[in-house]
Amino acid sequence: MSSTAGQVIKCKAAVAWEPGKPLVIEEVEVAPPQKMEVRLKILFTSLCHTDVYFWEAKAQDSVFPRILGHEAAGIVESVGEGVTELAPGDHVLPVFTGECGECAHCKSEDSNMCSLLRINTERGVMLNDGKTRFSINGKPIYHFVGTSTFSEYTVVHVGCVAKINPLAPLDKVCVLSCGISTGLGATLNVAKPTKGSSVAVFGLGAVGLAAAEGARLAGASRIIGVDLNSGRFEEAKKFGVTEFVNPKDYDKPVQEVIAEMTDGGVDRSVECTGNINAMISAFECVHDGWGVAVLVGVPHKDAVFKTHPMNFLNERTLKGTFYGNYKPRSDIPSVVEMYMKKELEVEKFITHEVGFAEINKAFELMLKGEGLRCIIRME
Ligand code: NAD
Ligand code: ZN
Ligand code: ZN
């Protein structure tokens, strides 16, 4: 038992007080974990574009004041009632979508959309009592996607925690807690390209480049990277991207450009931008007869997907996925093992590192489209 178990912990957290305003490092009180909850000491966290959307509050209606953050690695500090599978000292990755292990989704091999713990961006409280575990002078500070990792300590439902190999370096594998697993799984588990096939990846941020990495691992022979920022192309070569298309360089839709490059369309496409037009292009650029497109980007709340139904009749398939269809507790430990066996490199996704006090710098880098993942060191 740690000396802090059962006690309120006072620690630093980066609080988003209002949309689009720099986060403020505050002293917060973190209540002990309740039934089926665990309290984690976060050691490293990184910034994913989904945090930026909910900070800007453009994507959906958002909840403030809030502690954002969902890509992270840490150590279990204490566990609440009923938690048997985790103990203080375990090395873990918190995950924004959970796995209760008991619902129809958790029992299905095809789904990771747990009925109890699937992503919920509007809920800012814990399930057990409908309250927050964070407060400042008694005023509640809300949670984000059940993880809130921009805090030295956080409380998470046990079903949203993957216990991993204690030898895995937490400053590296933290990126597997969202972006890299999402992109990798979107390709390997959902798009499933075959050896020698062609794959288009829309958006060459960390998620898109992880999707490209998945295509490379699956043996795709052509990987076409699409981005509005040509500055992304040089970096993308390290991820097996073989050709580049900047839609701004053409006066026709990018789906037509890709169809011409590939004699009718790519075999698979994976969209990792969050932009509705890119989503439509990603669908319309797959080959008729067998093409499959997978949407990963988080859309604007008012977005509407519009395409001619003939595109479906002509035997194209459109899919979408959260977290690359991985179940956090069952599957993520083995993704960490892929890294440990050097089958998957994560270092190349990490381009920046800052101390916790400089967390706003990570936001600036992402808004400028500079680099891939920025690791935020909590200590
Ligand atoms: P990022 O900002 O690092 O990368 C996005 C890239 O897309 C940028 O390089 C940008 O220039 C490019 N882009 C934007 N609009 C484009 C367009 N119209 N055409 C082509 N390229 C365009 O972001 P990221 O962290 O890699 O995340 C990518 C997306 O995936 C975001 O929408 C994020 O919210 C989403 N996401 C989804 C899941 C999930 O489980 N479904 C998980 C993590 C992230
Ligand atoms: Zn994310
Ligand atoms: Zn479930």
Side-chain angles (χ1 to χ4, degrees), residues 48-51 70-71 96 177-179 182 207 373:
C48 167
H49 212 127
T50 310
D51 297 306
H70 63 284
E71 199 173 273
F96 67 86
S177 137
C178 178
T182 295
V207 177
R373 282 305 194 244

Side-chain angles (χ1 to χ4, degrees), residues 22-352:
L23 306 187
V24 184
I25 305 280
E26 306 275 7
E27 187 176 80
V28 297
E29 299 200 324
V30 186
Q34 297 186 2
K35 197 173 169 189
M36 297 313 274
E37 294 173 357
V38 293
R39 189 161 56 185
L40 308 180
K41 180 173 171 55
I42 298 296
L43 296 178
F44 300 95
T45 183
S46 42
L47 185 65
C48 167
H49 212 127
T50 310
D51 297 306
V52 177
Y53 287 141
F54 285 89
W55 167 73
E56 290 176 319
K58 282 185 190 158
Q60 321 270 336
D61 298 324
S62 219
V63 181
F64 290 89
R66 195 172 215 187
I67 297 174
L68 297 162
H70 63 284
E71 199 173 273
I75 294 178
V76 175
E77 175 269 338
S78 62
V79 304
E81 185 195 329
V83 175
T84 52
E85 57 269 65
L86 288 172
D90 284 346
H91 287 212
V92 295
L93 303 183
V95 179
F96 67 86
T97 190
E99 181 183 359
C100 77
E102 280 157 30
C103 73
H105 291 275
C106 287
K107 287 188 173 144
S108 157
E109 281 193 8
D110 299 323
S111 173
N112 69 344
M113 297 297 294
C114 174
S115 312
L116 183 70
L117 301 170
R118 68 169 62 179
I119 183 170
N120 183 327
T121 57
E122 281 154 41
R123 188 174 59 228
V125 294
M126 297 303 287
L127 285 171
N128 190 52
D129 62 352
K131 295 200 171 115
T132 67
R133 300 289 169 269
F134 298 111
S135 59
I136 298 180
N137 300 327
K139 182 178 161 37
I141 307 292
Y142 294 99
H143 295 251
F144 176 61
V145 294
T147 51
S148 292
T149 60
F150 296 163
S151 177
E152 290 175 321
Y153 287 87
T154 188
V155 177
V156 178
H157 192 285
V158 64
C160 298
V161 181
K163 179 176 166 177
I164 62 163
N165 184 339
L167 300 176
L170 297 179
D171 59 336
K172 306 291 185 297
V173 297
C174 65
V175 296
L176 295 174
S177 137
C178 178
I180 311 314
S181 301
T182 295
L184 188 75
T187 305
L188 294 179
N189 301 334
V190 189
K192 298 184 181 166
T194 53
K195 213 168 175 335
S197 60
S198 56
V199 179
V201 176
F202 285 71
L204 302 176
V207 177
L209 291 174
E213 190 74 355
R216 194 179 61 79
L217 291 173
S221 58
R222 291 182 75 180
I223 305 175
I224 302 173
V226 183
D227 204 297
L228 298 173
N229 174 0
S230 299
R232 292 288 196 200
F233 295 165
E234 196 47 46
E235 185 105 52
K237 288 181 187 160
K238 288 188 218 155
F239 298 81
V241 181
T242 56
E243 291 149 86
F244 299 96
V245 178
N246 187 334
K248 287 191 206 156
D249 294 342
Y250 300 86
D251 50 16
K252 57 185 159 193
V254 64
Q255 49 271 50
E256 283 177 29
V257 177
I258 293 173
E260 281 166 21
M261 286 167 73
T262 53
D263 197 17
V266 282
D267 301 313
R268 299 289 186 266
S269 75
V270 186
E271 176 281 328
C272 307
T273 70
N275 178 282
I276 186 64
N277 296 319
M279 293 181 186
I280 295 166
S281 302
F283 173 57
E284 294 183 354
C285 80
V286 299
H287 207 287
D288 57 5
W290 59 78
V292 178
V294 178
L295 305 186
V296 176
V298 174
H300 189 280
K301 69 175 188 299
D302 303 320
V304 177
F305 189 97
K306 209 171 154 208
T307 190
H308 197 282
M310 204 51 139
N311 291 322
F312 290 99
L313 269 61
N314 288 341
E315 301 177 5
R316 292 181 181 88
T317 303
L318 179 62
K319 296 184 172 192
T321 176
F322 274 114
Y323 204 45
N325 270 37
Y326 285 121
K327 286 182 162 75
R329 290 204 280 181
S330 309
D331 300 333
I332 291 308
S334 58
V335 178
V336 170
E337 289 314 306
M338 276 175 79
Y339 166 72
M340 296 302 278
K341 287 188 235 149
K342 298 194 175 0
E343 293 162 14
L344 174 69
E345 203 191 314
V346 301
E347 285 82 354
K348 62 187 176 186
F349 291 98
I350 300 169
T351 54
H352 295 82

